[in-house]
Amino acid sequence: MSSDIPPVLSTLRHFLAIQDTSPEVLTALIELSIRRKIQFRRGELRPMLQGKTLAMIFQKSSLRTRLSFETAMTQLGGHAIYLEDHQVGVATREDIRDMARVTSSMCDGICARVFGHEIVEKLAAHGTVPVINALSDWAHPCQALADMMTLQERFGRLAGLRLAYVGDANNVARSLLNACTKLGVSVALASPAGYQIDKAQVDAAWPAARETGASITLTEEPAEAVADVDAIYTDVWTSMGQEAEREQRERAFAGYQVNAALLRRAKPTAVVMHCLPAHRNLEITDEVLDGPASIVFQQAENRLHTTRALLEVLLGKPNPG
Ligand code: CP
Ligand code: NVA
């Protein structure tokens, strides 16, 4: 089965940010994930990571990400070790450079969920094994990969679709913007003043958008962003690490709820997306989250299929270290 991995994926060393990943690699990862999902359901997966170990360094809580990495390693015949920050002390008990070097000497890959994005970059720079960003304050590339896979499954294409992101311009929004523009999906971002995407991020996304013909629209008006789109996406207003700002954020985002009235402004065939966990009846209503337009739980399941494909590609190679 490994021979059917597209050659372009042999160029992939780490998966830290969508911004660093080429459109060809993203497309190949999505296609591989869809193929492996079908093979998985037929019981045709090969345990191709037998004897391999993934170290999972987590500074923050997780349901989907932890489940997807650990389950994928089990399904591929390998093993995963979950290391919480209070056990290993990222950058406190020891220097990240030493942690990277030691972990690389025993394990075949590292996935890390961290506050500062520079931590995953340092793990990659100082270790000798592939590093996967399992969410940083700046990016959530594994989520964006599963989101693109889910849209591809739903619409049978990505190029030419239109997506509106309504809410906080956070890690999920940044990765989504990069994935969409690289794959030809036009994006409209609706966020209140003070919570909008950095100009530098938008400037960095424009070259890919020009290449694929995607547009980028920034607005403060959710109704404007969702007009006639194929997909509406939202995420929590208060991300992990921002809990002290919760009240202030809930006030700022009060007009940004994804609800039935907003959904009616999108195309009749539009889907609703959320990376989860959701704060029900804050950023999204029960009615929409549980309604017929929601593909939220398909997104969540696809975290497993995309993660397994990533692990197969990155850990399936001989260890250069
Ligand atoms: N979407 C996502 O990453 O979920 P968890 O935080 O539960 O892993
Ligand atoms: N933006 C959220 C995503 C959780 C998957 C957070 O960082 O908490």
Side-chain angles (χ1 to χ4, degrees):
M1 192 184 285
S2 56
S3 59
D4 70 347
I5 295 181
V8 69
L9 292 179
S10 64
T11 61
L12 195 65
R13 293 280 168 267
H14 304 286
F15 193 63
L16 303 184
I18 299 286
Q19 204 173 319
D20 312 333
T21 314
S22 73
E24 293 75 23
V25 163
L26 287 175
T27 301
L29 280 172
I30 293 164
E31 284 171 3
L32 182 66
S33 303
I34 292 174
R35 205 156 65 240
R36 289 290 186 265
K37 181 176 178 178
I38 295 164
Q39 289 166 332
F40 170 72
R41 287 184 171 169
R42 290 188 190 140
E44 292 172 2
L45 276 192
R46 247 185 351 118
M48 60 169 302
L49 295 186
Q50 260 170 4
K52 302 241 173 171
T53 301
L54 176 74
M56 301 175 55
I57 300 168
F58 274 52
Q59 291 190 305
K60 300 182 182 185
S61 305
S62 170
L63 177 68
R64 281 141 290 272
T65 306
R66 180 178 177 186
L67 280 176
S68 64
F69 277 95
E70 290 199 27
T71 306
M73 284 304 288
T74 303
Q75 290 174 350
L76 293 172
H79 181 64
I81 304 177
Y82 184 65
L83 301 160
E84 286 186 84
D85 199 8
H86 71 87
Q87 297 165 327
V88 294
V90 178
T92 53
R93 188 165 179 268
E94 64 187 304
D95 192 287
I96 293 162
R97 289 171 297 183
D98 301 341
M99 180 177 266
R101 201 163 155 186
V102 171
T103 310
S104 298
S105 73
M106 298 189 204
C107 298
D108 303 281
I110 301 171
C111 82
R113 170 165 282 202
V114 297
F115 289 97
H117 187 74
E118 70 284 354
I119 297 176
V120 286
E121 289 182 332
K122 281 187 189 163
L123 287 169
H126 298 284
T128 53
V129 295
V131 176
I132 302 175
N133 178 3
L135 180 146
S136 64
D137 285 348
W138 188 70
H140 198 0
C142 294
Q143 183 63 50
L145 186 62
D147 297 338
M148 294 297 109
M149 172 185 175
T150 310
L151 284 172
Q152 173 70 39
E153 284 181 324
R154 178 67 173 218
F155 293 100
R157 69 188 169 105
L158 291 171
L161 293 179
R162 296 179 55 214
L163 177 144
Y165 179 93
V166 177
D168 188 23
N170 58 18
N171 43 10
V172 168
R174 261 179 236 117
S175 294
L176 197 62
L177 171 69
N178 285 308
C180 284
T181 48
K182 284 180 185 235
L183 297 171
V185 179
S186 290
V187 192
L189 288 154
S191 311
Y195 300 94
Q196 290 161 348
I197 196 144
D198 305 342
K199 187 179 174 301
Q201 291 305 309
V202 178
D203 290 346
W206 264 117
R210 281 193 204 96
E211 194 80 16
T212 61
S215 61
I216 305 172
T217 308
L218 306 179
T219 174
E220 286 186 35
E221 297 299 330
E224 186 190 319
V226 305
D228 250 0
V229 293
D230 298 288
I232 301 178
Y233 199 119
T234 192
D235 183 17
V236 292
W237 297 334
T238 306
S239 285
M240 290 181 278
Q242 298 172 334
E243 291 78 5
E245 302 169 23
R246 183 179 298 278
E247 280 181 24
Q248 175 193 330
R249 285 176 164 271
E250 286 180 11
R251 276 196 301 277
F253 286 100
Y256 287 77
Q257 185 183 65
V258 174
N259 53 33
L262 197 69
L263 180 55
R264 276 196 292 276
R265 294 177 172 273
K267 284 187 183 157
T269 51
V271 295
V272 173
M273 306 177 77
H274 192 307
C275 58
L276 298 178
H279 293 139
R280 283 170 171 265
N281 300 311
L282 271 184
E283 75 272 3
I284 187 166
T285 58
D286 280 343
E287 185 186 7
V288 169
L289 183 56
D290 299 323
S294 172
I295 56 168
V296 165
F297 295 97
Q298 188 181 339
Q299 278 175 270
E301 183 196 327
N302 283 341
R303 291 294 307 278
L304 170 64
H305 303 296
T306 44
T307 294
R308 198 178 48 232
L310 255 182
L311 290 168
E312 180 182 339
V313 168
L314 287 172
L315 273 64
K317 294 180 210 161
N319 183 349

XYZ file of all heavy atoms in Angstrom, residues 60 113 135-136 140 143 170-172 235-236 238-240 275-277, ligand 2:
141
model
N -1.974 21.728 26.355
C -3.374 22.158 26.452
C -4.290 20.934 26.372
O -3.875 19.880 25.889
C -3.733 23.072 25.272
C -2.911 24.333 25.170
C -3.407 25.162 23.991
C -2.586 26.421 23.808
N -3.106 27.285 22.767
N 1.089 19.965 21.106
C 0.043 20.988 21.248
C 0.577 22.000 22.254
O 0.792 21.649 23.418
C -1.272 20.348 21.704
C -2.306 21.381 22.101
C -3.701 20.818 22.205
N -4.286 20.651 20.890
C -5.601 20.586 20.650
N -6.465 20.656 21.641
N -6.053 20.430 19.423
N -1.720 21.882 17.294
C -2.345 23.178 17.632
C -1.335 24.018 18.409
O -0.725 23.552 19.370
C -3.632 23.040 18.460
C -4.378 24.340 18.866
C -5.892 24.119 18.908
C -3.900 24.866 20.215
N -1.167 25.217 17.922
C -0.417 26.243 18.672
C -1.329 27.461 18.734
O -2.364 27.502 18.066
C 0.899 26.574 17.959
O 0.641 27.153 16.688
N -3.500 25.853 13.485
C -4.051 24.511 13.735
C -4.134 23.777 12.383
O -5.206 23.527 11.851
C -5.431 24.636 14.384
C -5.906 23.379 15.063
N -5.171 22.217 15.096
C -7.058 23.094 15.729
C -5.835 21.283 15.740
N -6.985 21.793 16.143
N -6.315 20.601 11.801
C -7.745 20.884 11.678
C -8.075 21.341 10.256
O -9.037 20.865 9.643
C -8.146 21.970 12.687
C -9.632 22.276 12.684
C -10.480 21.085 13.090
O -10.214 20.455 14.106
N -11.492 20.751 12.311
N -8.606 33.511 14.910
C -7.663 32.791 15.778
C -6.819 31.789 14.985
O -6.747 31.847 13.755
C -8.459 32.105 16.898
C -9.516 31.153 16.347
O -9.451 30.745 15.184
N -10.480 30.790 17.160
N -6.211 30.854 15.714
C -5.379 29.811 15.099
C -6.128 29.035 14.016
O -5.594 28.787 12.926
C -4.850 28.855 16.191
C -5.897 28.466 17.235
O -7.093 28.747 17.081
N -5.460 27.819 18.303
N -7.377 28.674 14.293
C -8.173 27.905 13.327
C -8.440 28.755 12.075
O -8.284 28.290 10.948
C -9.496 27.440 13.985
C -10.491 26.897 12.966
C -9.200 26.381 15.039
N -15.770 29.169 15.177
C -15.003 28.543 16.256
C -15.339 29.310 17.538
O -16.011 30.361 17.486
C -13.492 28.611 15.935
C -12.620 27.916 16.981
O -13.146 27.109 17.772
O -11.397 28.192 17.018
N -14.857 28.809 18.646
C -15.115 29.470 19.935
C -14.630 30.914 19.920
O -13.704 31.259 19.203
C -14.425 28.717 21.098
C -15.055 27.363 21.335
C -12.921 28.589 20.866
N -13.550 32.300 22.743
C -12.472 32.323 23.734
C -11.663 31.043 23.588
O -12.137 29.954 23.926
C -13.062 32.404 25.164
O -13.945 33.531 25.234
C -11.981 32.531 26.205
N -10.469 31.166 23.056
C -9.623 29.987 22.848
C -8.903 29.612 24.135
O -8.844 30.401 25.094
C -8.605 30.272 21.744
O -9.228 30.250 20.490
N -8.307 28.415 24.100
C -7.548 27.944 25.269
C -6.416 28.926 25.567
O -5.670 29.309 24.652
C -6.990 26.546 24.994
C -8.074 25.491 24.941
S -7.409 23.825 24.651
C -7.196 23.840 22.866
N -14.800 23.498 14.289
C -13.729 22.537 14.602
C -14.033 21.733 15.861
O -13.471 20.670 16.058
C -12.409 23.269 14.742
S -12.449 24.541 16.019
N -14.911 22.262 16.716
C -15.225 21.681 18.029
C -13.991 21.731 18.936
O -12.886 21.635 18.418
C -15.746 20.246 17.922
C -17.057 20.049 17.155
C -17.402 18.561 17.105
C -18.208 20.831 17.782
N -14.091 21.860 20.244
C -15.345 21.884 20.984
C -16.123 23.186 20.738
O -15.523 24.237 20.544
C -14.895 21.804 22.449
C -13.518 22.387 22.447
C -12.916 22.028 21.126
N -9.368 28.141 18.761
C -9.544 27.007 19.647
C -9.487 25.744 18.869
C -9.684 24.483 19.670
C -9.601 23.256 18.822
C -8.477 27.038 20.731
O -7.305 27.321 20.412
O -8.798 26.799 21.885
